[in-house]
Amino acid sequence: MVTTRDSMQDVILRLKRVSGQVEGLIRMIEREEECFQIITQFQAAKAALDSTFSLVLHRNLKECLSLDDSKRVEKILKLISKQ
C-alpha cells in the first residue's frame, strides 16, 4: 500500500488507541467489573477497530483503482467477503 507518512501515522495512532482499549478491557475483566461496563468498552474497541479497518480498506481500494490494478482489487474483495 502506497501511502503518505501522515496517513500511515494516522492508522498507527488509531491502532495504538485500540490496543489501549483492549488492555483496559483485560484489566476490567481481571477486576471483575460490571458486565455493562465491560460490554460498553468492548463495543467502543470494536467500533474503533472497524473504523480503522474501513479507513485502510478505502485507501487500498482507492489506490488499486487509481492504478487500474484489478488483480489487487479482486484479492481485497475476496478477503473482505470472508467476513
Short mmCIF file of all heavy atoms in Angstrom, two decimals, residues 32-81:
data_model
loop_
_atom_site.label_atom_id
_atom_site.label_comp_id
_atom_site.label_asym_id
_atom_site.label_seq_id
_atom_site.Cartn_x
_atom_site.Cartn_y
_atom_site.Cartn_z
N GLU A 32 -13.08 -7.95 37.53
CA GLU A 32 -14.48 -8.40 37.56
C GLU A 32 -15.44 -7.22 37.68
O GLU A 32 -16.37 -7.22 38.49
CB GLU A 32 -14.70 -9.42 38.68
CG GLU A 32 -13.88 -10.68 38.50
CD GLU A 32 -14.08 -11.69 39.60
OE1 GLU A 32 -14.89 -11.46 40.51
OE2 GLU A 32 -13.40 -12.72 39.55
N GLU A 33 -15.21 -6.22 36.83
CA GLU A 33 -16.08 -5.06 36.83
C GLU A 33 -17.45 -5.43 36.26
O GLU A 33 -17.64 -6.52 35.72
CB GLU A 33 -15.44 -3.92 36.03
CG GLU A 33 -14.22 -3.36 36.75
CD GLU A 33 -13.67 -2.10 36.11
OE1 GLU A 33 -14.43 -1.41 35.40
OE2 GLU A 33 -12.49 -1.82 36.32
N GLU A 34 -18.36 -4.49 36.36
CA GLU A 34 -19.74 -4.72 35.92
C GLU A 34 -19.79 -5.14 34.45
O GLU A 34 -19.09 -4.57 33.61
CB GLU A 34 -20.57 -3.45 36.09
CG GLU A 34 -20.82 -3.07 37.54
CD GLU A 34 -21.73 -4.07 38.24
OE1 GLU A 34 -22.69 -4.56 37.61
OE2 GLU A 34 -21.46 -4.35 39.42
N CYS A 35 -20.65 -6.11 34.18
CA CYS A 35 -20.82 -6.62 32.82
C CYS A 35 -21.18 -5.50 31.85
O CYS A 35 -20.66 -5.44 30.74
CB CYS A 35 -21.90 -7.69 32.83
SG CYS A 35 -22.20 -8.43 31.22
N PHE A 36 -22.05 -4.59 32.25
CA PHE A 36 -22.47 -3.48 31.40
C PHE A 36 -21.28 -2.63 30.98
O PHE A 36 -21.15 -2.25 29.81
CB PHE A 36 -23.50 -2.62 32.15
CG PHE A 36 -23.93 -1.41 31.39
CD1 PHE A 36 -24.89 -1.52 30.40
CD2 PHE A 36 -23.37 -0.17 31.65
CE1 PHE A 36 -25.28 -0.40 29.67
CE2 PHE A 36 -23.76 0.95 30.93
CZ PHE A 36 -24.72 0.84 29.94
N GLN A 37 -20.38 -2.35 31.91
CA GLN A 37 -19.21 -1.53 31.60
C GLN A 37 -18.26 -2.27 30.65
O GLN A 37 -17.68 -1.66 29.73
CB GLN A 37 -18.47 -1.16 32.89
CG GLN A 37 -19.25 -0.20 33.76
CD GLN A 37 -18.58 0.02 35.10
OE1 GLN A 37 -17.98 -0.88 35.67
NE2 GLN A 37 -18.70 1.25 35.61
N ILE A 38 -18.11 -3.56 30.86
CA ILE A 38 -17.23 -4.36 30.01
C ILE A 38 -17.78 -4.41 28.58
O ILE A 38 -17.04 -4.20 27.61
CB ILE A 38 -17.04 -5.78 30.59
CG1 ILE A 38 -16.22 -5.69 31.89
CG2 ILE A 38 -16.36 -6.71 29.57
CD1 ILE A 38 -16.16 -6.99 32.67
N ILE A 39 -19.07 -4.64 28.46
CA ILE A 39 -19.68 -4.71 27.13
C ILE A 39 -19.58 -3.36 26.42
O ILE A 39 -19.29 -3.30 25.22
CB ILE A 39 -21.14 -5.20 27.22
CG1 ILE A 39 -21.14 -6.68 27.61
CG2 ILE A 39 -21.89 -4.97 25.91
CD1 ILE A 39 -22.49 -7.24 27.93
N THR A 40 -19.78 -2.28 27.16
CA THR A 40 -19.65 -0.95 26.59
C THR A 40 -18.24 -0.73 26.06
O THR A 40 -18.05 -0.20 24.95
CB THR A 40 -20.01 0.13 27.64
OG1 THR A 40 -21.37 -0.08 28.06
CG2 THR A 40 -19.86 1.52 27.08
N GLN A 41 -17.25 -1.16 26.82
CA GLN A 41 -15.86 -1.00 26.38
C GLN A 41 -15.55 -1.88 25.17
O GLN A 41 -14.83 -1.47 24.27
CB GLN A 41 -14.91 -1.32 27.55
CG GLN A 41 -13.45 -1.03 27.24
CD GLN A 41 -13.18 0.45 26.97
OE1 GLN A 41 -13.89 1.32 27.42
NE2 GLN A 41 -12.16 0.71 26.18
N PHE A 42 -16.11 -3.10 25.17
CA PHE A 42 -15.96 -3.98 24.00
C PHE A 42 -16.51 -3.30 22.75
O PHE A 42 -15.87 -3.31 21.69
CB PHE A 42 -16.72 -5.30 24.20
CG PHE A 42 -15.86 -6.46 24.60
CD1 PHE A 42 -15.95 -6.99 25.87
CD2 PHE A 42 -14.98 -7.05 23.70
CE1 PHE A 42 -15.17 -8.06 26.25
CE2 PHE A 42 -14.20 -8.13 24.07
CZ PHE A 42 -14.30 -8.64 25.34
N GLN A 43 -17.70 -2.72 22.88
CA GLN A 43 -18.32 -2.05 21.74
C GLN A 43 -17.47 -0.88 21.24
O GLN A 43 -17.34 -0.68 20.03
CB GLN A 43 -19.73 -1.58 22.09
CG GLN A 43 -20.71 -2.73 22.23
CD GLN A 43 -22.07 -2.26 22.71
OE1 GLN A 43 -22.17 -1.41 23.59
NE2 GLN A 43 -23.11 -2.83 22.13
N ALA A 44 -16.91 -0.13 22.16
CA ALA A 44 -16.06 1.01 21.78
C ALA A 44 -14.81 0.53 21.05
O ALA A 44 -14.43 1.11 20.02
CB ALA A 44 -15.69 1.82 23.01
N ALA A 45 -14.18 -0.52 21.56
CA ALA A 45 -12.97 -1.05 20.92
C ALA A 45 -13.30 -1.61 19.54
O ALA A 45 -12.56 -1.38 18.56
CB ALA A 45 -12.33 -2.12 21.80
N LYS A 46 -14.41 -2.32 19.44
CA LYS A 46 -14.81 -2.90 18.16
C LYS A 46 -15.12 -1.79 17.15
O LYS A 46 -14.70 -1.86 15.99
CB LYS A 46 -16.03 -3.79 18.34
CG LYS A 46 -16.49 -4.47 17.07
CD LYS A 46 -17.73 -5.31 17.33
CE LYS A 46 -18.22 -6.01 16.08
NZ LYS A 46 -18.48 -5.17 14.94
N ALA A 47 -15.81 -0.76 17.58
CA ALA A 47 -16.14 0.36 16.68
C ALA A 47 -14.87 1.05 16.19
O ALA A 47 -14.76 1.40 15.01
CB ALA A 47 -17.06 1.35 17.38
N ALA A 48 -13.91 1.25 17.09
CA ALA A 48 -12.65 1.89 16.71
C ALA A 48 -11.87 1.03 15.72
O ALA A 48 -11.30 1.53 14.75
CB ALA A 48 -11.81 2.17 17.95
N LEU A 49 -11.85 -0.27 15.96
CA LEU A 49 -11.15 -1.18 15.05
C LEU A 49 -11.86 -1.25 13.69
O LEU A 49 -11.21 -1.20 12.64
CB LEU A 49 -11.03 -2.57 15.67
CG LEU A 49 -10.10 -3.56 14.98
CD1 LEU A 49 -8.69 -3.00 14.87
CD2 LEU A 49 -10.09 -4.87 15.73
N ASP A 50 -13.18 -1.31 13.71
CA ASP A 50 -13.95 -1.32 12.46
C ASP A 50 -13.70 -0.05 11.66
O ASP A 50 -13.55 -0.09 10.43
CB ASP A 50 -15.45 -1.47 12.74
CG ASP A 50 -15.84 -2.88 13.15
OD1 ASP A 50 -15.06 -3.82 12.95
OD2 ASP A 50 -16.97 -3.03 13.70
N SER A 51 -13.67 1.07 12.35
CA SER A 51 -13.43 2.36 11.69
C SER A 51 -12.05 2.40 11.04
O SER A 51 -11.89 2.86 9.90
CB SER A 51 -13.58 3.48 12.71
OG SER A 51 -13.21 4.70 12.16
N THR A 52 -11.06 1.91 11.75
CA THR A 52 -9.70 1.88 11.22
C THR A 52 -9.61 0.92 10.04
O THR A 52 -8.97 1.22 9.02
CB THR A 52 -8.69 1.49 12.32
OG1 THR A 52 -8.85 2.40 13.41
CG2 THR A 52 -7.27 1.54 11.82
N PHE A 53 -10.26 -0.23 10.16
CA PHE A 53 -10.29 -1.19 9.05
C PHE A 53 -10.91 -0.55 7.82
O PHE A 53 -10.37 -0.67 6.71
CB PHE A 53 -11.09 -2.44 9.46
CG PHE A 53 -11.35 -3.38 8.31
CD1 PHE A 53 -10.34 -4.18 7.81
CD2 PHE A 53 -12.61 -3.44 7.72
CE1 PHE A 53 -10.58 -5.03 6.73
CE2 PHE A 53 -12.85 -4.29 6.65
CZ PHE A 53 -11.84 -5.09 6.16
N SER A 54 -12.02 0.14 7.98
CA SER A 54 -12.68 0.80 6.85
C SER A 54 -11.78 1.84 6.20
O SER A 54 -11.74 1.95 4.96
CB SER A 54 -13.98 1.47 7.31
OG SER A 54 -14.91 0.50 7.71
N LEU A 55 -11.06 2.58 7.02
CA LEU A 55 -10.14 3.58 6.50
C LEU A 55 -9.03 2.93 5.65
O LEU A 55 -8.76 3.37 4.53
CB LEU A 55 -9.51 4.36 7.66
CG LEU A 55 -8.46 5.40 7.31
CD1 LEU A 55 -9.09 6.55 6.54
CD2 LEU A 55 -7.79 5.91 8.57
N VAL A 56 -8.43 1.87 6.17
CA VAL A 56 -7.36 1.18 5.45
C VAL A 56 -7.91 0.55 4.17
O VAL A 56 -7.30 0.64 3.10
CB VAL A 56 -6.68 0.12 6.35
CG1 VAL A 56 -5.72 -0.76 5.55
CG2 VAL A 56 -5.94 0.80 7.50
N LEU A 57 -9.08 -0.07 4.27
CA LEU A 57 -9.71 -0.69 3.10
C LEU A 57 -9.98 0.37 2.03
O LEU A 57 -9.66 0.17 0.85
CB LEU A 57 -11.00 -1.38 3.52
CG LEU A 57 -11.82 -2.00 2.40
CD1 LEU A 57 -11.03 -3.11 1.70
CD2 LEU A 57 -13.12 -2.55 2.96
N HIS A 58 -10.56 1.47 2.43
CA HIS A 58 -10.87 2.56 1.50
C HIS A 58 -9.60 3.05 0.78
O HIS A 58 -9.59 3.20 -0.44
CB HIS A 58 -11.55 3.71 2.24
CG HIS A 58 -11.81 4.91 1.41
ND1 HIS A 58 -12.88 4.99 0.55
CD2 HIS A 58 -11.13 6.06 1.28
CE1 HIS A 58 -12.84 6.15 -0.07
NE2 HIS A 58 -11.79 6.83 0.35
N ARG A 59 -8.55 3.27 1.56
CA ARG A 59 -7.30 3.76 0.97
C ARG A 59 -6.71 2.75 -0.01
O ARG A 59 -6.22 3.11 -1.08
CB ARG A 59 -6.28 4.09 2.06
CG ARG A 59 -6.65 5.34 2.83
CD ARG A 59 -5.68 5.58 3.95
NE ARG A 59 -6.06 6.76 4.72
CZ ARG A 59 -5.49 7.12 5.84
NH1 ARG A 59 -4.50 6.40 6.35
NH2 ARG A 59 -5.89 8.20 6.48
N ASN A 60 -6.76 1.47 0.36
CA ASN A 60 -6.21 0.43 -0.52
C ASN A 60 -7.02 0.31 -1.81
O ASN A 60 -6.44 0.22 -2.90
CB ASN A 60 -6.17 -0.91 0.20
CG ASN A 60 -4.88 -1.11 0.95
OD1 ASN A 60 -3.89 -1.51 0.37
ND2 ASN A 60 -4.89 -0.82 2.22
N LEU A 61 -8.32 0.29 -1.68
CA LEU A 61 -9.15 0.17 -2.89
C LEU A 61 -8.99 1.38 -3.79
O LEU A 61 -8.90 1.25 -5.01
CB LEU A 61 -10.63 -0.01 -2.50
CG LEU A 61 -11.01 -1.39 -2.00
CD1 LEU A 61 -12.45 -1.41 -1.53
CD2 LEU A 61 -10.77 -2.45 -3.06
N LYS A 62 -8.93 2.56 -3.18
CA LYS A 62 -8.74 3.78 -3.96
C LYS A 62 -7.43 3.72 -4.74
O LYS A 62 -7.37 4.07 -5.92
CB LYS A 62 -8.77 4.98 -3.02
CG LYS A 62 -8.86 6.31 -3.68
CD LYS A 62 -9.04 7.40 -2.64
CE LYS A 62 -9.06 8.76 -3.26
NZ LYS A 62 -9.24 9.82 -2.27
N GLU A 63 -6.39 3.27 -4.06
CA GLU A 63 -5.08 3.15 -4.72
C GLU A 63 -5.11 2.14 -5.85
O GLU A 63 -4.63 2.40 -6.95
CB GLU A 63 -4.01 2.74 -3.71
CG GLU A 63 -2.64 2.55 -4.33
CD GLU A 63 -1.63 1.96 -3.37
OE1 GLU A 63 -1.83 2.04 -2.15
OE2 GLU A 63 -0.64 1.41 -3.86
N CYS A 64 -5.71 0.97 -5.59
CA CYS A 64 -5.77 -0.06 -6.63
C CYS A 64 -6.57 0.41 -7.84
O CYS A 64 -6.18 0.15 -8.99
CB CYS A 64 -6.43 -1.33 -6.07
SG CYS A 64 -5.42 -2.20 -4.87
N LEU A 65 -7.66 1.12 -7.59
CA LEU A 65 -8.47 1.61 -8.69
C LEU A 65 -7.73 2.68 -9.49
O LEU A 65 -7.82 2.73 -10.71
CB LEU A 65 -9.81 2.14 -8.18
CG LEU A 65 -10.76 1.06 -7.65
CD1 LEU A 65 -11.97 1.71 -7.00
CD2 LEU A 65 -11.17 0.11 -8.75
N SER A 66 -7.00 3.53 -8.78
CA SER A 66 -6.26 4.59 -9.50
C SER A 66 -5.13 4.00 -10.34
O SER A 66 -4.75 4.57 -11.36
CB SER A 66 -5.71 5.62 -8.51
OG SER A 66 -4.64 5.09 -7.77
N LEU A 67 -4.61 2.87 -9.91
CA LEU A 67 -3.53 2.20 -10.66
C LEU A 67 -4.08 1.19 -11.66
O LEU A 67 -3.32 0.53 -12.36
CB LEU A 67 -2.57 1.49 -9.70
CG LEU A 67 -1.82 2.35 -8.70
CD1 LEU A 67 -1.04 1.48 -7.73
CD2 LEU A 67 -0.90 3.31 -9.43
N ASP A 68 -5.41 1.07 -11.69
CA ASP A 68 -6.08 0.10 -12.55
C ASP A 68 -5.54 -1.31 -12.29
O ASP A 68 -5.25 -2.06 -13.21
CB ASP A 68 -5.93 0.49 -14.03
CG ASP A 68 -6.96 -0.20 -14.90
OD1 ASP A 68 -8.02 -0.60 -14.37
OD2 ASP A 68 -6.70 -0.37 -16.10
N ASP A 69 -5.41 -1.65 -11.03
CA ASP A 69 -4.86 -2.95 -10.61
C ASP A 69 -6.01 -3.88 -10.22
O ASP A 69 -6.32 -4.07 -9.05
CB ASP A 69 -3.90 -2.74 -9.43
CG ASP A 69 -3.09 -3.99 -9.10
OD1 ASP A 69 -3.46 -5.08 -9.56
OD2 ASP A 69 -2.10 -3.85 -8.37
N SER A 70 -6.64 -4.44 -11.22
CA SER A 70 -7.83 -5.27 -10.97
C SER A 70 -7.51 -6.54 -10.18
O SER A 70 -8.35 -7.04 -9.44
CB SER A 70 -8.52 -5.62 -12.28
OG SER A 70 -7.65 -6.35 -13.13
N LYS A 71 -6.30 -7.06 -10.33
CA LYS A 71 -5.93 -8.26 -9.57
C LYS A 71 -5.91 -7.98 -8.07
O LYS A 71 -6.40 -8.77 -7.27
CB LYS A 71 -4.56 -8.79 -10.03
CG LYS A 71 -4.60 -9.44 -11.38
CD LYS A 71 -3.24 -10.00 -11.77
CE LYS A 71 -3.32 -10.61 -13.16
NZ LYS A 71 -2.05 -11.16 -13.58
N ARG A 72 -5.34 -6.83 -7.68
CA ARG A 72 -5.33 -6.47 -6.25
C ARG A 72 -6.72 -6.17 -5.74
O ARG A 72 -7.06 -6.53 -4.62
CB ARG A 72 -4.41 -5.27 -6.01
CG ARG A 72 -2.94 -5.68 -5.90
CD ARG A 72 -2.00 -4.54 -5.66
NE ARG A 72 -2.30 -3.78 -4.46
CZ ARG A 72 -1.72 -2.62 -4.16
NH1 ARG A 72 -0.82 -2.11 -4.97
NH2 ARG A 72 -2.02 -1.98 -3.07
N VAL A 73 -7.54 -5.54 -6.56
CA VAL A 73 -8.92 -5.27 -6.17
C VAL A 73 -9.65 -6.59 -5.91
O VAL A 73 -10.33 -6.76 -4.89
CB VAL A 73 -9.67 -4.43 -7.23
CG1 VAL A 73 -11.15 -4.35 -6.91
CG2 VAL A 73 -9.07 -3.04 -7.34
N GLU A 74 -9.50 -7.55 -6.81
CA GLU A 74 -10.14 -8.86 -6.64
C GLU A 74 -9.65 -9.56 -5.37
O GLU A 74 -10.43 -10.16 -4.65
CB GLU A 74 -9.87 -9.76 -7.86
CG GLU A 74 -10.73 -9.45 -9.04
CD GLU A 74 -12.21 -9.66 -8.76
OE1 GLU A 74 -12.58 -10.66 -8.13
OE2 GLU A 74 -12.99 -8.78 -9.17
N LYS A 75 -8.37 -9.46 -5.12
CA LYS A 75 -7.78 -10.08 -3.92
C LYS A 75 -8.40 -9.46 -2.65
O LYS A 75 -8.76 -10.17 -1.72
CB LYS A 75 -6.26 -9.87 -3.94
CG LYS A 75 -5.49 -10.79 -3.07
CD LYS A 75 -3.99 -10.54 -3.30
CE LYS A 75 -3.19 -11.70 -2.85
NZ LYS A 75 -1.76 -11.53 -3.08
N ILE A 76 -8.51 -8.14 -2.64
CA ILE A 76 -9.10 -7.44 -1.50
C ILE A 76 -10.56 -7.84 -1.34
O ILE A 76 -11.03 -8.13 -0.22
CB ILE A 76 -8.96 -5.91 -1.64
CG1 ILE A 76 -7.49 -5.51 -1.50
CG2 ILE A 76 -9.83 -5.18 -0.62
CD1 ILE A 76 -7.21 -4.06 -1.87
N LEU A 77 -11.29 -7.88 -2.44
CA LEU A 77 -12.71 -8.26 -2.38
C LEU A 77 -12.89 -9.67 -1.85
O LEU A 77 -13.83 -9.93 -1.07
CB LEU A 77 -13.37 -8.10 -3.75
CG LEU A 77 -13.52 -6.65 -4.23
CD1 LEU A 77 -14.04 -6.62 -5.66
CD2 LEU A 77 -14.42 -5.87 -3.31
N LYS A 78 -12.03 -10.58 -2.23
CA LYS A 78 -12.10 -11.95 -1.71
C LYS A 78 -11.85 -11.96 -0.20
O LYS A 78 -12.52 -12.68 0.54
CB LYS A 78 -11.09 -12.85 -2.42
CG LYS A 78 -11.53 -13.29 -3.79
CD LYS A 78 -10.51 -14.21 -4.43
CE LYS A 78 -10.91 -14.53 -5.85
NZ LYS A 78 -9.92 -15.37 -6.52
N LEU A 79 -10.86 -11.18 0.24
CA LEU A 79 -10.56 -11.13 1.67
C LEU A 79 -11.75 -10.60 2.48
O LEU A 79 -12.10 -11.14 3.51
CB LEU A 79 -9.34 -10.24 1.93
CG LEU A 79 -7.99 -10.84 1.60
CD1 LEU A 79 -6.90 -9.77 1.71
CD2 LEU A 79 -7.69 -12.00 2.54
N ILE A 80 -12.36 -9.51 2.01
CA ILE A 80 -13.44 -8.92 2.81
C ILE A 80 -14.74 -9.72 2.69
O ILE A 80 -15.58 -9.64 3.59
CB ILE A 80 -13.69 -7.44 2.47
CG1 ILE A 80 -14.07 -7.24 1.03
CG2 ILE A 80 -12.48 -6.61 2.84
CD1 ILE A 80 -14.45 -5.82 0.68
N SER A 81 -14.91 -10.50 1.65
CA SER A 81 -16.13 -11.32 1.53
C SER A 81 -16.11 -12.51 2.48
O SER A 81 -17.13 -13.11 2.73
CB SER A 81 -16.34 -11.78 0.09
OG SER A 81 -15.34 -12.70 -0.28
#
